[in-house]
Amino acid sequence: IKWYIDGAHAVHHDMRGHTGAAMRLGKGTTYSSSSKQKINTMSSTETELIAVNDKMGQILWTKYFLEAQGYNVPTVLFQDNKSTMLLEKHGRASNTHKYSIFLCD
């Protein structure tokens, strides 16, 4: 399973961000969503973190559902904001990585 999650900072009239997500299973997109974020954020990094947080329930539900059906499929999360990836991975920012892929085991 490949998840692509993105957040757009302050794009609504009330300065809230927007979350977009798509899940690929095999060759096609099997799930996609787009929604306004429920809180205001201070930066694009924070917007991206909120986007991942908003979709983590769906990511885990999908993973557990497929496992219950007998399929052990690795789950990969793709993210495009360098600072957000470092915060998600290490809990702090650094400039050692250009991009990252996260695996949910």
Side-chain angles (χ1 to χ4, degrees):
I1 305 170
K2 294 179 182 175
W3 283 91
Y4 300 86
I5 300 178
D6 196 22
H9 181 63
V11 295
H12 293 282
H13 64 65
D14 57 0
M15 301 305 289
R16 292 192 180 175
H18 202 87
T19 297
M23 178 186 77
R24 294 190 65 188
L25 186 59
K27 295 182 179 182
T29 300
T30 57
Y31 171 86
S32 65
S33 71
S34 177
S35 60
K36 182 178 178 180
Q37 292 182 348
K38 294 178 180 162
I39 63 172
N40 290 343
T41 56
M42 301 282 289
S43 67
S44 62
T45 298
E46 189 177 3
T47 301
E48 297 275 351
L49 281 171
I50 296 299
V52 171
N53 183 67
D54 286 349
K55 296 303 170 190
M56 191 52 67
Q58 183 68 40
I59 292 169
L60 293 175
W61 183 91
T62 303
K63 176 182 173 45
Y64 297 147
F65 177 79
L66 289 174
E67 286 176 355
Q69 305 308 309
Y71 298 101
N72 189 12
V73 181
T75 301
V76 182
L77 170 61
F78 292 92
Q79 179 67 255
D80 67 350
N81 184 294
K82 182 178 175 182
S83 296
T84 303
M85 290 184 288
L86 293 169
L87 285 170
E88 290 167 345
K89 190 170 185 176
H90 302 293
R92 61 183 168 80
S94 164
N95 60 3
T96 59
H97 303 290
K98 184 173 180 180
Y99 62 92
S100 190
I101 298 172
F102 301 96
L103 299 174
C104 299
D105 294 329

